[in-house]
């Protein structure tokens, strides 16, 4: 059984299946509704029910208060229709955002590479047209035996490679999903996933120089975005500052150094926070935000910044960028939550873009 879901203020009417969440129905119809955690914890996907009835599902009382329920609000990631329905959502149009309907895919593992002692690269071959996505998007991976809790992974390859996508998977202590991917997954295995998701993308209409700040497996999205930029002959200055603990954890260094040689408008600055003092490392030491402050002399006004990495790194970078006169409208970050750390979001509640 299906129902009619009308989404205001755009006036679009789509079908929503019985038991399907409003968010899933909208995304599969190619309509973007603001969302983040996808589990009723953050409140980003809050919408107002104008007509019809819904089941609220497992919405957290902290993300959706009782008084909001009484006022007709619900969380689209949890709410399910029990009849025809009209909702109103806070929709923002962005000329730089690309919209692709969420679909279900099956990928065959074509290659697994060990990038660092704790990060592996998994390549999934996709048939039947592949997957269309925007650089910076992510997928939800359905790990066998754990399908009820999909794991979100950014796509590390550029959109030009839609038949073979790359995922960088960091081994999380106590993380059942990443442990299975590291220890049990084999070349030739099939993995189901759905996507694309996300609102982390380059603002191509902006003329400002770009600053990418990343750490750990947060390199995935910047890698996709930067490769796509230079496939399109990017002419704006692009700076990429990447942080790792030591040389063993520094990956794709050769790729980015080659880009730096090929494109004079690209600057790559790796920085290590725990490299032994007596090693042969001649590069920067410290943390990403410190390297950024030194490189730019503490002045970031007139840039667009894209942040991706551990919450502590993001918080430090936000503080440093703001001190250097860069503000919310010019900072962007992928805001999805992992199973291991759903609450570890940047501690910057005033920010909307990030």
């Amino acid at each position: 059984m299906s129902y009619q879901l009308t989404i205001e203020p755009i006036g679009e009417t789509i079908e929503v299946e019985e038991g399907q969440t409003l968010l899933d129905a909208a995304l599969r119809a190619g309509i973007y509704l603001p969302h983040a955690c996808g589990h009723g914890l953050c409140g980003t996907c809050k919408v107002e029910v104008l007509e019809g009835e819904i089941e609220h599902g497992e919405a957290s009382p902290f993300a959706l208060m009782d008084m909001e329920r009484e006022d007709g609000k619900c969380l689209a990631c949890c709410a399910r229709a029990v009849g025809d329905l009209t909702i109103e959502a806070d929709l923002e149009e962005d000329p730089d955002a690309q919209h692709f309907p969420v679909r279900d895919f099956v990928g065959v593992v074509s290659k697994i590479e060990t990038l660092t002692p704790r990060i592996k690269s998994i390549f999934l071959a996709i048939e039947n047209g592949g997957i269309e996505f925007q650089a910076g998007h992510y997928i939800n991976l359905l790990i066998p035996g754990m399908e009820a809790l999909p794991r979100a992974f950014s796509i590390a390859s550029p959109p030009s490679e839609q038949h073979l996508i790359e995922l960088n998977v960091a081994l999380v202590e106590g993380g059942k999903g990443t442990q299975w991917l590291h220890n049990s997954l084999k070349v030739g295995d099939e993995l189901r996933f759905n996507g694309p998701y996300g609102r982390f993308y380059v603002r191509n209409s902006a003329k400002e120089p770009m600053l990418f700040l990343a750490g750990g497996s947060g390199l995935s999205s910047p890698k996709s975005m930067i490769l796509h930029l230079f496939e399109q002959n990017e002419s704006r200055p692009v700076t990429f500052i990447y942080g790792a603990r030591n040389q063993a954890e520094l990956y794709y260094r050769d790729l980015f150094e080659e880009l730096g040689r090929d494109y004079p408008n690209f600057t790559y600055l790796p920085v290590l926070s725990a490299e032994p003092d007596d090693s042969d490392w001649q590069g920067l030491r410290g943390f990403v935000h410190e390297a950024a402050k030194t490189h730019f002399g503490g002045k970031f006004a007139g840039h667009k910044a894209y942040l991706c990495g551990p919450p502590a790194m993001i918080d430090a970078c936000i503080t440093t960028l703001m001190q250097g006169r860069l503000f919310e409208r010019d900072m962007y970050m992928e805001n999805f939550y992992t199973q291991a750390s759903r609450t570890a979001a940047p501690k910057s509640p005033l920010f909307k873009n990030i």
Side-chain angles (χ1 to χ4, degrees):
M1 180 181 295
S2 64
Y3 307 110
Q4 298 294 302
L5 171 63
T6 300
I7 302 173
E8 299 292 356
I10 59 175
E12 291 279 351
T13 298
I14 63 174
E15 285 194 355
V16 54
E17 299 295 329
E18 186 175 14
Q20 184 181 27
T21 67
L22 307 185
L23 177 62
D24 186 65
L27 295 177
R28 289 179 182 275
I31 299 173
Y32 179 82
L33 296 183
H35 62 283
C37 75
H39 302 285
L41 300 173
C42 70
T44 305
C45 64
K46 196 174 297 177
V47 298
E48 182 176 0
V49 178
L50 301 179
E51 295 180 13
E53 299 292 331
I54 54 98
E55 293 179 352
H56 282 284
E58 298 179 357
S60 163
F62 298 101
L64 184 69
M65 296 182 290
D66 290 341
M67 61 183 295
E68 292 178 306
R69 295 174 187 244
E70 294 171 0
D71 288 340
K73 302 291 197 306
C74 71
L75 300 185
C77 72
C78 298
R80 293 169 171 81
V82 296
D84 291 345
L85 192 66
T86 300
I87 63 172
E88 185 172 31
D90 182 15
L91 302 177
E92 294 183 357
E93 288 299 322
D94 188 328
D96 295 313
Q98 297 179 21
H99 303 285
F100 301 102
V102 169
R103 297 164 50 205
D104 297 315
F105 298 90
V106 176
V108 178
V109 179
S110 65
K111 182 169 59 173
I112 301 175
E113 293 184 345
T114 298
L115 300 175
T116 77
R118 57 179 292 273
I119 299 176
K120 287 193 175 184
S121 177
I122 298 171
F123 290 84
L124 297 178
I126 309 167
E127 298 182 351
N128 302 322
I131 178 174
E132 290 185 291
F133 64 96
Q134 186 170 13
H137 279 168
Y138 69 92
I139 64 166
N140 277 339
L141 192 65
L142 305 177
I143 298 175
M146 309 174 215
E147 291 88 349
L149 295 173
R151 271 59 171 184
F153 292 102
S154 296
I155 302 173
S157 44
S160 59
E161 300 175 8
Q162 63 187 55
H163 293 280
L164 183 67
I165 63 169
E166 178 190 358
L167 308 177
N168 295 164
V169 179
L171 183 62
V172 177
E173 185 177 355
K176 294 181 180 179
T178 60
Q179 288 181 355
W180 188 90
L181 291 170
H182 270 248
N183 301 324
S184 300
L185 187 67
K186 301 291 188 298
V187 171
D189 288 350
E190 291 187 348
L191 286 176
R192 294 189 296 123
F193 64 93
N194 48 64
Y197 297 98
R199 294 284 278 185
F200 188 44
Y201 51 87
V202 172
R203 271 57 182 182
N204 283 316
S205 62
K207 304 304 180 185
E208 294 89 344
M210 287 169 279
L211 170 60
F212 292 87
L213 303 175
S217 60
L219 180 145
S220 300
S221 287
K223 176 176 176 284
S224 175
M225 298 159 89
I226 291 169
L227 288 177
H228 181 66
L229 282 169
F230 287 108
E231 285 179 352
Q232 306 301 311
N233 298 315
E234 180 57 51
S235 60
R236 290 167 292 183
V238 179
T239 302
F240 179 33
I241 302 178
Y242 175 71
R245 285 178 48 81
N246 50 53
Q247 290 191 69
E249 295 183 8
L250 182 64
Y251 69 106
Y252 281 129
R253 178 184 177 185
D254 291 345
L255 169 66
F256 292 111
E257 288 182 343
E258 182 179 356
L259 283 175
R261 290 190 293 270
D262 292 342
Y263 299 95
N265 57 323
F266 178 65
T267 300
Y268 169 60
L269 298 173
V271 54
L272 304 182
S273 62
E275 177 71 7
D277 292 336
D278 58 353
S279 77
D280 61 352
W281 176 250
Q282 300 296 313
L284 300 174
R285 293 174 181 265
F287 296 98
V288 171
H289 67 285
E290 297 170 336
K293 184 175 182 178
T294 299
H295 182 73
F296 288 95
K299 299 177 181 179
F300 302 100
H303 286 79
K304 292 290 186 183
Y306 301 88
L307 289 65
C308 200
M313 186 212 87
I314 298 298
D315 287 333
C317 288
I318 289 172
T319 299
T320 299
L321 292 173
M322 291 188 71
Q323 289 173 344
R325 307 299 293 175
L326 195 70
F327 300 105
E328 184 228 350
R329 67 178 181 273
D330 296 314
M331 296 187 218
Y332 308 96
M333 174 188 158
E334 180 54 89
N335 193 21
F336 64 75
Y337 293 66
T338 67
Q339 293 300 322
S341 183
R342 290 185 187 173
T343 60
K347 304 177 183 68
S348 305
L350 297 179
F351 277 58
K352 188 174 182 180
N353 289 336
I354 57 178

